[in-house]
Amino acid sequence: MNPSRRVVMVGICGDSGAGKSTYAHALRELLDPERVTVITLDDYHSLNRHERNAIGITALHPWKANNLGLLTEHVWALRRGQSIVKPTYDHATGEFGAPEEIVPRDIVILEGLHTFYLERLREALDLKIYFDTDIQLRVQWKIARDSSQRGYTPEEVMAEIERRRPDVERYIEPQKALADIVIHYLPDNETPPHPDYPDPVRVRFAERLRGSKRRLVKWLALAGQLGLIQTDHFHDHIIGEEMEIASVSGITDSKTLNSLIEMVSERQLVTERVRQQLEARHHDPVIVSRILVASMIAHLGHQSRQDVSAELR
């Protein structure tokens, strides 16, 4: 890796089926696959599926079912620009695969259940995003994924969701309070289905009003100028604080579309893929939200390069 660059570390956390993996890989495509490495924390399970079932624990248990110590070592190595050899886990079989070497690119995105669980992990991250997806959507998406990709029946998925619920409340949901940004996915029962997104979703960003790092302020201001968001406040009972929320809308007119394309192009924050996605699916608020987050991450990368260059001078 170029010594004048520092790896930008992004963490995505949330419950199973919340949309973490899809979002992480979508960001990778928007930011350029040649510049982004995505790592799933499921690869750091310490027990295979049979072993977990035999002792009656779920994969959500941070210490009994996961090697967070090794994960932390690897995350800091990647942040320093060092290669790692990491384990792999195959959800289709529930077994571990062959280890793989990872060479860090400009941006590393970590996605998983325990991304913010340890303070030392959080310290390595430049941006922390938590997915707080509506339970109806989580169940729907998890059944669809686990039935088609992981060999479960819908009945088995529902039973597993119920079995995991106490661990979600104990180990996963508290990490929401440690995020810089919370992304809410909510069912949209008002928008008619579109060929590109047959199950419409409402998207909201949220962050603490008293947060020390108001990551969203600049980007929401830009989006607000284009009429892409509506802001409000609410009290989050899990975090226990007042939050600012921004509801993200799709783009319905060519003027706004061209303005957003011009905004991201002028700042050279994202690739031609952004233009293509916007032109093809600008009605979808999920796409608009991804582009705003991708722009934020790209800006962090630009800042880190400037910081390193200043240190080298």
Side-chain angles (χ1 to χ4, degrees):
M1 192 179 70
N2 189 323
S4 67
R5 296 189 176 188
R6 181 180 72 74
V7 176
V8 173
M9 306 293 291
V10 178
I12 298 177
C13 183
D15 189 16
S16 179
K20 305 181 301 295
S21 298
T22 300
Y23 209 88
H25 287 281
L27 290 175
R28 178 175 179 264
E29 290 301 314
L30 288 172
L31 290 161
D32 186 354
E34 297 300 317
R35 297 183 56 229
V36 181
T37 300
V38 175
I39 293 178
T40 175
L41 271 58
D42 289 354
D43 287 338
Y44 290 86
H45 290 336
S46 56
L47 302 174
N48 64 26
R49 187 181 300 158
H50 174 75
E51 291 168 331
R52 294 196 302 270
N53 290 338
I55 61 175
I57 65 171
T58 74
L60 279 67
H61 196 291
W63 297 114
K64 292 182 179 179
N66 296 276
N67 193 340
L68 298 187
L70 178 63
L71 169 64
T72 303
E73 291 178 16
H74 283 179
V75 167
W76 276 97
L78 291 169
R79 181 180 171 89
R80 292 189 292 265
Q82 300 169 354
S83 299
I84 62 170
V85 177
K86 59 177 283 297
T88 63
Y89 180 81
D90 185 348
H91 278 285
T93 63
E95 298 288 346
F96 295 101
E100 63 177 352
E101 182 179 12
I102 298 293
V103 178
R105 297 185 173 97
D106 295 341
I107 299 166
V108 172
I109 300 176
L110 309 170
E111 62 88 9
L113 298 166
H114 304 97
T115 318
F116 312 151
Y117 195 81
L118 299 181
E119 182 178 5
R120 186 62 175 156
L121 272 176
R122 299 193 297 274
E123 290 173 346
L125 300 175
D126 297 292
L127 179 65
K128 301 185 294 295
I129 302 171
Y130 184 91
F131 269 79
D132 186 12
T133 301
D134 179 85
I135 183 62
Q136 174 186 329
L137 292 175
R138 289 209 311 268
V139 170
Q140 176 183 326
W141 292 347
K142 186 170 174 61
I143 289 175
R145 182 196 65 189
D146 289 2
S147 298
S148 63
Q149 301 176 20
R150 301 184 178 181
Y152 290 93
T153 66
E155 293 75 19
E156 288 173 332
V157 177
M158 286 303 302
E160 181 70 4
I161 289 173
E162 289 303 315
R163 190 167 77 94
R164 293 160 61 110
R165 192 180 301 277
D167 284 351
V168 171
E169 295 174 355
R170 182 176 182 181
Y171 301 121
I172 309 305
E173 289 182 349
Q175 294 177 83
K176 177 181 176 181
L178 304 170
D180 298 316
I181 298 169
V182 178
I183 295 180
H184 299 271
Y185 277 167
L186 304 163
D188 184 349
N189 299 318
E190 299 178 0
T191 302
H194 187 278
D196 289 331
Y197 41 100
D199 299 310
V201 172
R202 291 188 293 127
V203 183
R204 298 190 314 189
F205 291 131
E207 71 174 351
R208 290 184 182 87
L209 284 171
R210 298 181 181 179
S212 59
K213 293 189 291 187
R214 296 294 305 280
R215 297 290 198 187
L216 285 173
V217 169
K218 174 181 178 180
W219 303 103
L220 294 186
L222 291 171
Q225 293 172 12
L226 301 178
L228 297 177
I229 61 165
Q230 292 182 331
T231 59
D232 201 350
H233 297 164
F234 83 110
H235 185 83
D236 190 293
H237 72 280
I238 291 179
I239 295 178
E241 292 185 22
E242 288 295 311
M243 307 286 286
E244 180 173 23
I245 60 172
S247 299
V248 183
S249 64
I251 300 173
T252 58
D253 64 279
S254 58
K255 181 179 179 180
T256 303
L257 174 61
N258 291 332
S259 295
L260 183 57
I261 290 175
E262 182 179 351
M263 183 188 84
V264 297
S265 298
E266 282 180 355
R267 290 166 175 78
Q268 298 181 335
L269 296 178
V270 283
T271 66
E272 180 63 22
R273 291 173 178 80
V274 168
R275 182 187 297 273
Q276 294 170 353
Q277 288 252 343
L278 276 173
E279 290 177 346
R281 297 185 58 187
H282 55 272
H283 294 89
D284 187 352
V286 173
I287 297 299
V288 175
S289 78
R290 289 174 183 170
I291 287 168
L292 291 173
V293 172
S295 298
M296 195 184 310
I297 294 170
H299 183 67
L300 287 173
H302 178 68
Q303 284 184 319
S304 72
R305 290 193 295 274
Q306 288 184 323
D307 293 343
V308 172
S309 296
E311 292 174 3
L312 294 175
R313 285 199 294 269

